Amino acid sequence: MGDEDGLSPEVRRMIEEAQAKMTEELFEETLRAKVNFEPDDLGTLLDLVAIGITNGTWRNSCVENWHAEGRLSDGDMMRINSHTTDAIRRRLARWTTETGITSASGTALAEVDMEEVDAFAIRLFRWTTNPKRKLTIGITLGELARTAEDLREYEDHADLRLGGFAGQMEERGVRFGLLRTACHGALACSRWWKHPAWPALVERYVSVLDNPTDPHWGPGGEWRTRLGAEPHSVQDRAGLRATLLKGPWKLDDSAATWVTDSGIGYLPSREEHRARQHPPSDRAHRANAGLRTRTLPFR
């Protein structure tokens, strides 16, 4: 017989074993190796936490279904995702100020009361699910959802995700929860605004716009040719670069559409580009095939 949650003892044992392998030390090692920053750096950690919360609570929800249905364009998704990340990042900053958090060290975060964590999660839930919340594309969440049923579906998802965000901190500690959420943001969304890799990606993107022979555009620059004329705000390279770095949600509709159509979310980093130019031997390629990861595009 299974437990009251429907899990058999064997499945429960497997889950518990997997959870036991997730430790603060593992998350720290992952962030150092994949993002090259020290986890005690509170500012960068909160950037990644904001990305992780946005991706889990917003993007990976029925919102992505609405996107697939055509309610949102790729450009809309880029603007809303980055704007939501910014809003959550600002709320994280306010929360850390209110709770007196000045460091991401274990000692500092051990002092955080769970009531403060719960209150923050509830505030985030109320903000994200408010049907009157104005999205950066000009409509409200309620208008995007269209029906009460669709809005409730999103509310249920946000409740589950934010409840999990707070629950993991209650069970394993505040620092554990922040590190785990930061790893989510770091690994799943390496092409998102606020990720440490974003500035280098923007520099590479702006540079390839004026290089039709770059491999990004495919054989003979075919993709670049199909894009058509650049919107005025894309032609202004300095302005485009500044907007992408400071706030992609400030792009106008035509620019956001053109930028996503041109594949900013699929552009390889300089390191990936060099690796493609100098591929490993066939033996090394086969040996490493099982270690590849796939990152989500910035849309």
Side-chain angles (χ1 to χ4, degrees):
M1 293 293 290
D3 295 332
E4 59 184 25
D5 57 8
L7 298 178
S8 69
E10 177 64 17
V11 171
R12 174 165 293 283
R13 181 188 63 78
M14 293 172 63
I15 291 175
E16 290 174 350
E17 287 179 355
Q19 290 176 336
K21 294 178 181 178
M22 292 191 293
T23 64
E24 291 182 18
E25 292 74 22
L26 174 62
F27 297 142
E28 289 173 345
E29 292 172 8
T30 300
L31 291 170
R32 289 190 185 103
K34 299 297 184 181
V35 191
N36 193 30
F37 93 100
E38 282 300 317
D40 283 357
D41 175 354
L42 183 62
T44 303
L45 182 71
L46 294 182
D47 289 345
L48 292 170
V49 170
I51 293 173
I53 292 174
T54 301
N55 189 52
T57 303
W58 172 256
R59 194 268 185 190
N60 286 350
S61 69
C62 53
V63 171
E64 181 55 21
N65 295 334
W66 301 344
H67 173 207
E69 292 169 6
R71 301 188 202 183
L72 297 166
S73 69
D74 288 350
D76 292 337
M77 287 294 285
M78 180 178 73
R79 288 191 289 167
I80 297 173
N81 287 349
S82 59
H83 187 256
T84 303
T85 300
D86 177 65
I88 291 177
R89 178 62 178 85
R90 286 186 282 107
R91 283 164 172 78
L92 280 164
R94 187 160 60 244
W95 176 66
T96 55
T97 299
E98 292 170 351
T99 54
I101 299 172
T102 58
S103 166
S105 69
T107 302
L109 294 176
E111 301 299 319
V112 180
D113 192 283
M114 270 310 302
E115 289 186 3
E116 295 171 322
V117 173
D118 289 338
F120 176 66
I122 291 170
R123 277 158 49 187
L124 273 187
F125 173 78
R126 289 174 176 167
W127 176 75
T128 57
T129 61
N130 182 356
K132 296 181 180 179
R133 174 164 68 93
K134 195 71 171 284
L135 305 177
T136 192
I137 60 173
I139 63 174
T140 66
L141 173 62
E143 290 169 335
L144 174 63
R146 297 184 181 176
T147 68
E149 181 181 3
D150 280 2
L151 182 61
R152 278 195 300 273
E153 182 180 1
Y154 175 66
E155 289 173 345
D156 290 344
H157 176 88
D159 184 31
L160 179 66
R161 295 304 178 190
L162 290 170
F165 172 72
Q168 66 185 346
M169 295 189 191
E170 182 175 9
E171 184 176 342
R172 303 286 295 273
V174 172
R175 192 164 190 268
F176 175 92
L178 291 178
L179 287 171
R180 184 180 183 184
T181 307
C183 278
H184 173 170
L187 300 180
C189 309
S190 63
R191 287 167 170 78
W192 276 42
W193 179 76
K194 271 298 181 183
H195 191 286
W198 179 249
L201 179 66
V202 170
E203 295 297 339
R204 170 124 172 80
Y205 174 72
V206 173
S207 72
V208 304
L209 291 181
D210 295 316
N211 183 7
T213 63
D214 189 281
H216 173 67
W217 302 118
E222 188 177 320
W223 186 3
R224 183 73 171 83
T225 303
R226 289 201 311 267
L227 281 171
E230 299 175 0
H232 177 73
S233 54
V234 174
Q235 295 174 29
D236 176 7
R237 297 288 193 257
L240 174 65
R241 177 182 176 278
T243 302
L244 287 172
L245 289 173
K246 295 179 181 178
W249 61 90
K250 297 177 182 178
L251 291 170
D252 59 54
D253 181 63
S254 62
T257 298
W258 198 93
V259 166
T260 51
D261 285 350
S262 63
I264 189 172
Y266 298 95
L267 187 71
S269 67
R270 294 187 188 278
E271 291 73 19
E272 291 169 333
H273 178 52
R274 282 195 291 268
R276 291 180 184 181
Q277 289 180 313
H278 305 285
S281 66
D282 181 61
R283 179 179 294 178
H285 174 78
R286 283 184 278 115
N288 290 307
L291 301 178
R292 292 183 175 180
T293 59
R294 180 180 181 275
T295 55
L296 294 173
F298 185 58
R299 62 183 182 89

